[in-house]
Amino acid sequence: MAILYHEQTKIFTMHTKNSTYQMQVGAYGYLLHLYYGSKIEGQELTYLLQYNDRGFSSNPAEAYKDRTFSLDFLPQEYSVFGMGDYRESGLQLQNTDGSFDVQLTYKSHEIYQGKRRLEGLPASYGTEKEVESLVITLQDEVTKVEVDLLYSVFEELDTITRSVQVRNKGIGTITLEKVMSCCLDFMNRCDFDYMTFYGKHTLERQVERTPIRHGKMSVESVRGCSSHQQNPFVILCDQDANEMHGECYGFSFVYSGNFKATVEVDQIHQTRFVMGIHDTGFCFTLEPGEAFVAPEVMMVYSEQGLGALSRNYHTLIQEHICRGKFKKARRPVLINNWEGTYFDFTAEKLASIAKDASKLGIEMLVMDDGWFGVRNDDYSGLGDWFVNTNKLQGGLSKLVEEVNSYGMKFGIWFEPEMVNEDSDLYRTHPDWCLKTPTREGNRSRFQYVLDMSREEVRTYLYERITAILKEANIEYIKWDMNRHLTNVYSISLPANRQGEVYHRYVLGLYDLLERLTTENPHVLFEGCSGGGGRFDAGMLYYSPQIWTSDNTDPIDRLRIQYGTSFGYPISSMGSHVSAIPNHQTGRVTPLHTRGVVAMSGTFGYELDMNKMTEEEKEEIKEQVAMYKKYYNTINYGAYYRLTNPYSSERFVAWEFVSEDGKNVLVNFVLTKPEHNPPIINIKLQGLERNKRYRVAGTEEVYTGAALMNAGYHLKEQFGDYTAVQIALELYE
Ligand code: DGJ
């Protein structure tokens, strides 16, 4: 039993393999948080609560003369605005009479095996054996507002998920102004580092680590999607935590729209963490009987450092977020024509790229942007999802048949959520996009955003995408999104409901994706938003892989993929070899290095295969064979970050160990060549101490203990950005 309730003390305890979470229905029915951290069994942690009379901290009416009970400093399980807790709140709402008061006290609870779905939202899932759930219902006795706090425990993965449901059980309309999914208080503790993942287009998920301080620190997006600029995954950890040591708490938001993740240190050095949908631009009306469901936050605990935390997230997302055939089935090595041709292609050109690629073991051609409507640049065509037969003479099916005849699968690009002004769709339905009727909307990449909250918009997209899928044997869709939201206004909603549009947009997107993915189980979906601008656990529920970045430079990718690996599995990171000089940075790197970096992800190529020399093609053939050989080790083995690319100037290294422990793949990239260099020695991780490992293709044999404690010596490396891949095999 992962979840326990003690009737006399009214204490709820949740245990995972290595962690404990405890809360209590305290005085006057308030739900107080007691503890979240390393496993503690057989102990009530109520002794941690401190009751003091603190100045300027009010006391709830029921406490009357008891000046030591105040919501201003007691640890709350779900804090509300307006009743004397001045810290960052979880819930803020306006009652029918215009007041902001909400007083939530315990009403009931339910514990059950398994996990229920969150209506209309992506969320983790599991069988009755894998997960146990708890619902605690709080209520406001005056207004009859009810709040369900939803918890699910994946014991083996040290994971507890949280979300919230608000129900209006009163007789008047209420307005939700903020509904956060997770609110977590750490009593008597503020010695954390906050790790966040910031970036920009073509440089996503750069790692930033800062000690927290009094006051608030937030990362957020109000761009309508999770964004390149900040990621909805953050970590709170010991200030000396590293890959192998220290307490770490991860928070991954299963949502693809606006978000906010705030950490606050209060006046008596306690820490509060709050995560959920951003309250800016958010306002949701609930009529009597209506409910609002907030998306899920997946919390993972590790007391063995960041490496263990990440590996649990990798399994959690692979096993309990990703769905369908491609959760486990081997995904094809692909070639995408974008950087090879951009908009300038014909069916003949694509077929010849496919033909060349097929001889090298590549398994799928992806036709990127430019195949539909009138689309020879990014000024026109979006929305017109009809094949351009001037470019693809003979139609889509002829091209796909030819590609299939080379033994290659066929994939296709869409950007369904967008429309160009210069398109038939816009000319017919100018009112289908998000735009205030009284103004001209902002353009970005010369496109507008379709109002995904509207059924008729989604129906059009569903019908067009389905028709294209029926036209030919299409086995993959790249789902792109190339601008952020502005002028967020839907003509389908009344004035007082415009604060719902950001969220309804995301719900509409999920609804369309749900229909398309369930009706086309044989089609592999890859998420994309100008690279990794919508790289989150919400999108991974529909597409098990996401194009990690529009930056294909392997040296920049070292940091992008390193940062992404903290919260997301290797199998989720789309990663391709492209041409040199690199189109984004102009950097020149060896083909081998481009291959080594790209194969630490869902591997592919993004260049004009017709332009490669015979020698290069031979090398590509070897890369593809290598990737296929180590596919399971890379995608489903354990991943170890051996260096930190921000502090290791000379080289970057990372390692994979297969699930059965028999295969190990160590990757090095030299980032700064040096004459008369110090020895490169790297301590491996995750091996069996007393077993022996042989370096593949040599007679070199080492014990696991030697490789992990004395380290592996890399022979001297020269040259710009050289890479080495070392395969080790269990020897005895
Ligand atoms: C942005 C994507 O990230 C690229 O890979 C490519 O698909 C372009 N869009 C096409 O417009």
Side-chain angles (χ1 to χ4, degrees):
M1 286 277 282
I3 302 175
L4 307 166
Y5 177 64
H6 192 259
E7 192 70 50
Q8 282 76 41
T9 56
K10 296 193 165 55
I11 289 180
F12 293 94
T13 306
M14 297 187 276
H15 290 300
T16 70
K17 201 161 72 175
N18 298 295
S19 74
T20 294
Y21 189 110
Q22 206 173 80
M23 52 200 152
Q24 184 191 32
V25 181
Y28 320 114
Y30 288 103
L31 188 61
L32 302 178
H33 179 79
L34 297 177
Y35 175 79
Y36 181 31
S38 187
K39 194 159 190 168
I40 301 174
E41 284 173 291
Q43 175 73 57
E44 292 165 11
L45 293 149
T46 40
Y47 70 90
L48 294 170
L49 294 169
Q50 293 284 313
Y51 298 94
N52 291 309
D53 179 2
R54 296 183 189 279
F56 295 89
S57 292
S58 68
N59 317 106
E62 307 78 9
Y64 194 46
K65 284 189 179 170
D66 179 3
R67 290 162 50 152
T68 66
F69 190 94
S70 174
L71 303 179
D72 195 21
F73 54 80
L74 282 169
Q76 310 288 305
E77 188 55 29
Y78 193 61
S79 158
V80 296
F81 168 79
M83 300 299 281
D85 182 358
Y86 299 102
R87 296 167 288 180
E88 181 77 15
S89 61
L91 180 72
Q92 180 175 331
L93 61 82
Q94 201 164 14
N95 296 301
T96 319
D97 62 4
S99 67
F100 292 98
D101 292 8
V102 196
Q103 187 178 16
L104 295 181
T105 52
Y106 172 83
K107 182 184 178 200
S108 60
H109 76 270
E110 182 193 357
I111 296 172
Y112 64 93
Q113 289 302 125
K115 188 169 187 286
R116 295 177 192 138
R117 292 197 58 172
L118 289 185
E119 194 53 41
L121 286 165
S124 58
Y125 62 90
T127 63
E128 292 191 357
K129 278 200 177 125
E130 292 165 329
V131 58
E132 192 176 355
S133 299
L134 162 69
V135 185
I136 302 179
T137 302
L138 308 176
Q139 71 170 355
D140 184 314
E141 283 184 4
V142 176
T143 61
K144 306 296 176 212
V145 167
E146 284 189 2
V147 174
D148 289 338
L149 303 182
L150 314 172
Y151 302 84
S152 290
V153 181
F154 292 86
E155 210 172 339
E156 282 306 302
L157 293 171
D158 284 326
T159 299
I160 299 176
T161 65
R162 289 188 62 172
S163 54
V164 169
Q165 177 167 204
V166 184
R167 278 189 303 269
N168 180 4
K169 292 223 149 170
I171 51 167
T173 306
I174 63 166
T175 314
L176 304 176
E177 300 194 335
K178 180 183 186 186
V179 187
M180 304 306 268
S181 303
C182 161
C183 172
L184 183 63
D185 280 350
F186 294 90
M187 267 187 275
N188 311 327
R189 198 176 165 189
C190 64
D191 53 345
F192 286 115
D193 270 356
Y194 197 26
M195 284 183 73
T196 58
F197 302 86
Y198 75 98
K200 58 183 176 182
H201 177 221
T202 68
L203 208 65
E204 298 87 342
R205 289 168 297 287
Q206 303 295 294
V207 180
E208 192 150 71
R209 183 170 174 166
T210 332
I212 60 171
R213 52 159 176 78
H214 289 88
K216 296 178 188 176
M217 292 162 72
S218 283
V219 291
E220 54 185 43
S221 166
V222 287
R223 294 168 174 272
C225 67
S226 47
S227 90
H228 308 82
Q229 286 73 10
Q230 289 289 353
N231 192 265
F233 170 72
V234 298
I235 300 170
L236 281 174
C237 61
D238 285 348
Q239 289 178 348
D240 60 357
N242 60 24
E243 285 297 326
M244 291 193 277
H245 305 284
E247 270 200 308
C248 312
Y249 300 82
F251 304 90
S252 180
F253 196 28
V254 191
Y255 189 62
S256 313
N258 292 347
F259 76 92
K260 186 161 84 169
T262 303
V263 61
E264 176 178 10
V265 179
D266 73 9
Q267 54 179 337
I268 54 167
H269 317 319
Q270 303 181 117
T271 304
R272 170 171 290 173
F273 176 78
V274 179
M275 189 181 222
I277 294 180
H278 206 301
D279 46 339
T280 295
F282 174 86
C283 186
F284 220 94
T285 300
L286 286 191
E287 298 297 343
E290 285 185 346
F292 178 85
V293 185
E296 178 168 287
V297 171
M298 303 189 294
M299 309 190 297
V300 173
Y301 173 79
S302 158
E303 57 187 342
Q304 285 173 338
L306 297 160
L309 184 91
S310 295
R311 287 186 288 279
N312 270 341
Y313 269 113
H314 294 180
T315 311
L316 181 67
I317 289 178
Q318 282 178 328
E319 299 285 343
H320 302 288
I321 285 285
C322 296
R323 300 175 301 166
K325 174 178 165 193
F326 295 99
K327 174 173 167 172
K328 276 282 173 190
R330 190 169 77 68
R331 312 207 198 120
V333 176
L334 63 86
I335 181 154
N336 176 305
N337 72 302
W338 179 243
E339 285 198 24
T341 67
Y342 295 104
F343 293 105
D344 185 18
F345 61 84
T346 57
E348 258 181 354
K349 176 70 192 169
L350 294 179
S352 74
I353 291 178
K355 188 174 183 187
D356 275 5
S358 69
K359 295 177 192 149
L360 312 178
I362 295 173
E363 298 156 305
M364 180 164 72
L365 173 83
V366 175
M367 176 173 68
D368 211 282
D369 193 355
W371 57 267
F372 51 90
V374 179
R375 181 98 171 147
N376 297 315
D377 50 38
D378 53 16
Y379 285 92
S380 64
L382 284 178
D384 296 342
W385 301 110
F386 296 89
V387 175
N388 177 340
T389 44
N390 291 328
K391 269 190 185 175
L392 305 186
Q393 290 195 359
L396 187 59
S397 55
K398 180 164 177 271
L399 170 63
V400 177
E401 273 160 27
E402 184 171 352
V403 169
N404 287 168
S405 77
Y406 303 132
M408 299 269 283
K409 298 177 192 300
F410 188 87
I412 195 166
W413 179 97
F414 283 99
E415 191 179 359
E417 298 151 74
M418 301 293 157
V419 64
N420 283 119
E421 259 172 307
D422 186 0
S423 68
D424 289 340
L425 182 69
Y426 187 79
R427 281 183 282 273
T428 323
H429 298 287
D431 61 322
W432 273 15
C433 49
L434 295 175
K435 210 152 52 124
T436 42
T438 48
R439 293 173 204 275
E440 214 179 325
N442 282 28
R443 295 174 189 87
S444 179
R445 210 196 187 200
F446 230 76
Q447 60 201 51
Y448 290 136
V449 185
L450 290 174
D451 183 353
M452 297 296 289
S453 73
R454 285 170 65 178
E455 182 75 52
E456 61 271 51
V457 173
R458 299 200 298 275
T459 302
Y460 166 78
L461 294 171
Y462 168 79
E463 283 171 358
R464 281 320 313 147
I465 294 169
T466 304
I468 296 290
L469 289 178
K470 285 202 177 121
E471 225 174 275
N473 180 24
I474 294 168
E475 297 178 76
Y476 161 109
I477 285 180
K478 178 175 172 186
W479 186 291
D480 207 345
M481 184 219 194
N482 284 305
R483 66 157 287 182
H484 293 153
L485 276 53
T486 57
N487 314 93
V488 175
Y489 184 94
S490 172
I491 60 155
S492 65
L493 289 170
N496 68 337
R497 284 190 173 262
Q498 291 301 320
E500 300 177 15
V501 183
Y502 274 113
H503 182 56
R504 288 189 183 278
Y505 176 93
V506 181
L507 293 180
L509 167 70
Y510 289 155
D511 173 65
L512 180 57
L513 279 166
E514 181 69 27
R515 278 179 85 182
L516 288 167
T517 50
T518 44
E519 284 178 24
N520 300 285
H522 64 289
V523 176
L524 168 62
F525 279 67
E526 174 153 345
C528 177
S529 174
R534 197 160 56 183
F535 205 118
D536 55 66
M539 286 309 286
L540 288 169
Y541 188 72
Y542 306 98
S543 60
Q545 60 192 59
I546 298 176
W547 182 224
T548 314
S549 178
D550 269 350
N551 187 337
T552 53
D553 174 352
I555 304 307
D556 279 357
R557 277 284 183 138
L558 289 174
R559 286 188 178 190
I560 297 169
Q561 293 177 194
Y562 169 83
T564 307
S565 76
F566 280 86
Y568 303 100
I570 304 306
S571 60
S572 68
M573 295 187 218
S575 193
H576 300 167
V577 172
S578 62
I580 49 166
N582 179 267
H583 292 196
Q584 293 78 41
T585 63
R587 199 180 336 240
V588 174
T589 51
L591 180 55
H592 180 58
T593 303
R594 284 176 271 153
V596 168
V597 174
M599 72 174 76
S600 287
T602 51
F603 190 45
Y605 290 80
E606 180 125 358
L607 38 73
D608 185 348
M609 201 50 85
N610 302 152
K611 291 186 182 150
M612 303 308 276
T613 64
E614 285 312 309
E615 215 178 9
E616 286 171 327
K617 285 184 181 165
E618 262 322 294
E619 194 170 342
I620 289 175
K621 203 173 183 177
E622 283 166 25
Q623 288 178 352
V624 174
M626 179 75 183
Y627 180 69
K628 287 182 185 168
K629 181 167 176 197
Y630 286 94
Y631 183 88
N632 284 331
T633 304
I634 292 171
N635 286 283
Y636 300 108
Y639 168 78
Y640 297 88
R641 294 175 289 262
L642 300 181
T643 60
N644 174 347
Y646 292 85
S647 52
S648 153
E649 244 208 329
R650 278 190 67 216
F651 70 96
V652 173
W654 65 99
E655 176 196 349
F656 300 101
V657 179
S658 63
E659 270 179 297
D660 61 8
K662 288 185 178 159
N663 288 295
V664 180
L665 190 64
V666 190
N667 305 274
F668 297 86
V669 175
L670 197 71
T671 42
K672 187 168 170 274
E674 194 176 319
H675 177 246
N676 194 13
I679 290 161
I680 291 183
N681 178 284
I682 190 81
K683 289 181 182 168
L684 304 190
Q685 294 178 38
L687 307 182
E688 298 259 9
R689 291 186 58 77
N690 299 322
K691 298 228 163 118
R692 303 204 305 157
Y693 296 84
R694 182 168 61 190
V695 178
T698 74
E699 292 308 309
E700 283 178 52
V701 176
Y702 306 94
T703 63
L707 290 167
M708 292 195 292
N709 296 310
Y712 180 81
H713 261 29
L714 190 67
K715 310 293 169 290
E716 218 160 275
Q717 286 292 306
F718 294 107
D720 263 353
Y721 308 122
T722 50
V724 180
Q725 226 167 15
I726 290 157
L728 299 164
E729 290 153 0
L730 200 63
Y731 188 56
E732 61 187 38

